[in-house]
Amino acid sequence: MKIYIVYDSEAGHTEQLARSIAKGAKSVEGIEVFINHVNHANIKDLEQMDAIIWGCPGHFGSISSGLKAWIDKLGYLWANGKLVDKIGAVFCTTATVHGGIEATLLNLITPMLHQGMMIVGLPANIPDNALYGSYYGIGVTSPDEDTDDVLSHSLFEKGLALGEALGKRVAYMTNTFVNGRKFQSTQAYS
């Protein structure tokens, strides 16, 4: 099974989170992970993927312009139903606590729903998610590089661990869905 992780990153925090998600997904047997910065990601590759995870820094509660421009190129895939029934998940980073994490995650989910994808989040039975995370995906507050604030760095590290957990969950859900789909009929949803 194939998972594609696409990210936009400016200061490197979102890339770190993307790599932690990839690490979690790769830990599941039978999963092949592709990871690319949005500047190098090819939308044509999405057709061959079983799951797609995308993320970016949150910009005032919204998607970064780099990732949004890339998502806006998905019209052909949408018009031809190429991403219908693929697994999807999202992630983001922000520079401040309550810096629009959940709004950004919801904005990242919306294009996936328009594509007919099935969204996977992280549940509350992961204790750190209930304390530091979000059910919509992974949102992490990134520490200012010039700060010695132990709490900021600790929360970021916990966020990276949640990223690994999301990667594993997406991989397990993809494995379950793809293998289960082999035994389902191929009739349309009408």
Side-chain angles (χ1 to χ4, degrees), residues 138-164:
I138 300 301
V140 178
T141 302
S142 305
D144 181 344
E145 299 304 321
D146 297 330
T147 186
D148 291 330
D149 180 22
V150 175
L151 179 59
S152 293
H153 289 283
S154 173
L155 289 175
F156 186 68
E157 291 301 318
K158 289 179 187 296
L160 294 179
L162 289 174
E164 282 189 49

Side-chain angles (χ1 to χ4, degrees), residues 31-42:
I31 298 293
E32 188 176 4
V33 177
F34 303 86
I35 182 170
N36 269 316
H37 186 279
V38 70
N39 292 342
H40 307 291
N42 186 341

Side-chain angles (χ1 to χ4, degrees), residues 118-130:
M118 296 175 292
I119 311 303
V120 173
L122 207 55
N125 67 346
I126 298 171
D128 279 351
N129 193 50

Side-chain angles (χ1 to χ4, degrees), residues 29-138:
E29 187 176 335
I31 298 293
E32 188 176 4
V33 177
F34 303 86
I35 182 170
N36 269 316
H37 186 279
V38 70
N39 292 342
H40 307 291
N42 186 341
I43 63 164
K44 293 177 184 174
D45 293 338
L46 298 180
E47 284 187 61
Q48 287 73 46
M49 300 299 142
D50 298 297
I52 301 159
I53 306 170
W54 60 49
C56 64
H59 287 192
F60 308 107
S62 192
I63 304 171
S64 69
S65 61
L67 185 59
K68 179 69 170 85
W70 185 82
I71 289 170
D72 286 346
K73 296 176 186 174
L74 300 180
Y76 166 81
L77 297 174
W78 171 82
N80 292 286
K82 298 295 186 179
L83 302 184
V84 171
D85 289 342
K86 293 191 185 286
I87 302 291
V90 298
F91 62 99
C92 74
T93 58
T94 60
T96 59
V97 176
H98 305 296
I101 285 175
E102 288 195 338
T104 302
L105 294 172
L106 289 169
N107 281 312
L108 287 164
I109 288 171
T110 301
M112 289 184 165
L113 293 171
H114 280 257
Q115 293 285 347
M117 296 172 67
M118 296 175 292
I119 311 303
V120 173
L122 207 55
N125 67 346
I126 298 171
D128 279 351
N129 193 50
L131 293 173
Y132 311 110
S134 171
Y135 306 113
Y136 309 120
I138 300 301

